[in-house]
Amino acid sequence: MPTIKEVAQRAGVSTCTVSNVLNNKRPVKPETKARVESAAAELRYKPSGVARSLKASRTLTLGMVVTTSTNPFYAEVLQAVEQRCYELGYSLIIANTRGNSERLKEALEVLRERQVDGTILMCTQVNPALHLSKDDLVMPVVVADWGITNLNVDLIQEEGRRGGYLAARHLLDLGHQAIGVLRGPSGKRTADERYSGFCDALQEAGVELRKDWVAEGDFELAGGYRGAQTILKAKQRPTAIIAGNDMMAAGALKALQEAGLRVPDDMSLIGYDNIELSSYLVPSLSTIEQPKERLGANAVDLLLDRIKNPDSPLRTITLEPHLIARQSTLPLNQR
């Protein structure tokens, strides 16, 4: 592998001049710059990323702690994080908590040993505010996809209550008043906020939410399937169902089809997240979009800003949801 000294010898300049040219440190005469660039190209020389990062006291590596889930939402956010890291010349190390608080602490310890420059926490099933102390967060950290936390970190959060409201409002605008809800697990901020938004819209419209039209799921396919079966046991069935996320909506779609119900002719259905799968379901799923690409990119940008400006005020970025209307919802008078 060629060295910077060999490039300097071929170009007839000092190693300092080569460094200035390749790293854009100081202005160099055009003819000298051309000789250096030509010599580097001929020798196929590439500056050492490790050496540059050591001089800057950084490794150009970020960490990300996530929770295992069959929900593609997390994979899509992770893809956005990886893409942003690639664009900015950073590597990414991923650690998985598997929903376990001890593994959360172990993951942070491993990332600290690997000397990552900072870490993104996105593990909804393990609330870091309940399990971490300041001693666990000795590196720059950005928390994504949680609500208000008492941790002294930057935060990216969704407007879940607003999204839940938009989902219910969509069905109300289509003329539905008998509306069932497949909510996420009680006690989880994401689930509670979305459910509160559903209830806000129904209450505003003066529409009753019957207890036998509410089922609790786990944000997974099976939870949506079982929850829809529970709602269908009610003496009077609703004309539409709101699911707390797209995965539960997909599970509900299977239960409805098995019960001989056509979506949306017999039952309208709306999900939440707008995962890629939602547009490929039959019928395609109306849903609430969470801007996953923006979530991932913002998490990286916010973390890098914290790394560069460690003493700047803490920031919270709130991502606004919006409605994606597709084939699974239909006006009541068109059934």
Side-chain angles (χ1 to χ4, degrees), residues 16 69 293:
C16 182
S69 174
E293 291 185 4

Side-chain angles (χ1 to χ4, degrees), residues 3-23:
T3 65
I4 190 172
K5 185 175 181 180
E6 291 171 328
V7 175
Q9 289 174 343
R10 176 163 295 199
V13 298
S14 67
T15 56
C16 182
T17 299
V18 173
S19 178
N20 288 337
V21 170
L22 299 182
N23 295 303

Side-chain angles (χ1 to χ4, degrees), residues 1-234:
M1 180 178 293
T3 65
I4 190 172
K5 185 175 181 180
E6 291 171 328
V7 175
Q9 289 174 343
R10 176 163 295 199
V13 298
S14 67
T15 56
C16 182
T17 299
V18 173
S19 178
N20 288 337
V21 170
L22 299 182
N23 295 303
N24 294 314
K25 287 183 177 179
R26 295 179 182 176
V28 176
K29 292 180 179 180
E31 57 271 22
T32 302
K33 181 179 180 182
R35 290 207 315 275
V36 170
E37 291 176 341
S38 176
E42 290 172 4
L43 294 172
R44 296 184 179 180
Y45 172 77
K46 292 184 178 181
S48 168
V50 173
R52 290 201 308 270
S53 64
L54 288 175
K55 288 182 179 180
S57 299
R58 294 179 186 160
T59 61
L60 300 180
T61 302
L62 302 181
M64 185 170 182
V65 183
V66 297
T67 296
T68 293
S69 174
T70 59
N71 189 348
F73 170 79
Y74 297 100
E76 292 177 24
V77 174
L78 176 57
Q79 184 178 6
V81 170
E82 288 180 316
Q83 176 62 28
R84 188 60 175 159
C85 285
Y86 173 77
E87 292 171 356
L88 298 176
Y90 278 75
S91 299
L92 182 67
I93 298 176
I94 303 166
N96 198 322
T97 70
R98 298 191 182 276
N100 183 288
S101 60
E102 286 303 314
R103 289 192 60 150
L104 172 59
K105 290 189 175 185
E106 290 172 5
L108 287 172
E109 179 60 31
V110 170
L111 292 173
R112 184 160 52 244
E113 291 175 354
R114 297 289 295 272
Q115 297 183 323
V116 299
D117 296 333
T119 295
I120 299 167
L121 292 182
M122 190 177 183
C123 26
T124 308
Q125 297 178 26
V126 184
N127 191 329
L130 301 178
H131 302 287
L132 300 180
S133 65
K134 292 181 179 179
D135 294 335
D136 296 311
L137 301 176
V138 296
M139 69 184 85
V141 168
V142 167
V143 171
D145 197 37
W146 271 305
I148 302 302
T149 173
N150 57 9
L151 294 174
N152 193 37
V153 297
D154 296 302
L155 175 67
I156 299 178
Q157 62 183 4
E158 67 150 335
E159 189 64 56
R161 191 161 190 160
R162 173 64 179 166
Y165 176 90
L166 291 176
R169 188 68 257 172
H170 174 59
L171 294 177
L172 291 166
D173 289 343
L174 294 176
H176 295 277
Q177 293 198 336
I179 300 174
V181 178
L182 278 170
R183 59 156 298 153
S186 299
K188 300 297 183 183
R189 182 201 59 82
T190 302
D192 291 343
E193 284 194 357
R194 294 177 185 180
Y195 181 69
S196 294
F198 302 153
C199 294
D200 288 345
L202 297 180
Q203 184 176 9
E204 178 183 271
V207 173
E208 177 188 6
L209 178 59
R210 291 174 40 161
K211 291 183 179 180
D212 57 348
W213 289 349
V214 178
E216 184 171 320
D218 56 2
F219 280 150
E220 304 291 345
L221 287 167
Y225 178 79
R226 292 190 297 266
Q229 288 181 319
T230 298
I231 292 175
L232 291 178
K233 292 177 182 177

Side-chain angles (χ1 to χ4, degrees), residues 80 156 290-301 317-322:
I156 299 178
Q290 274 207 85
K292 296 170 286 300
E293 291 185 4
R294 197 143 51 87
L295 171 58
N298 283 351
V300 174
D301 292 344
I317 296 177
T318 301
L319 303 178
E320 291 291 330
H322 63 273

Side-chain angles (χ1 to χ4, degrees), residues 272-318:
Y272 199 114
D273 283 340
N274 193 32
I275 60 176
E276 186 177 7
L277 173 67
S278 63
S279 64
Y280 290 92
L281 294 173
V282 180
S284 59
L285 183 67
S286 293
T287 185
I288 301 300
E289 160 77 4
Q290 274 207 85
K292 296 170 286 300
E293 291 185 4
R294 197 143 51 87
L295 171 58
N298 283 351
V300 174
D301 292 344
L302 190 58
L303 181 58
L304 293 181
D305 185 67
R306 174 57 55 193
I307 292 168
K308 295 174 183 177
N309 303 287
D311 298 322
S312 63
L314 294 177
R315 295 172 58 192
T316 295
I317 296 177
T318 301

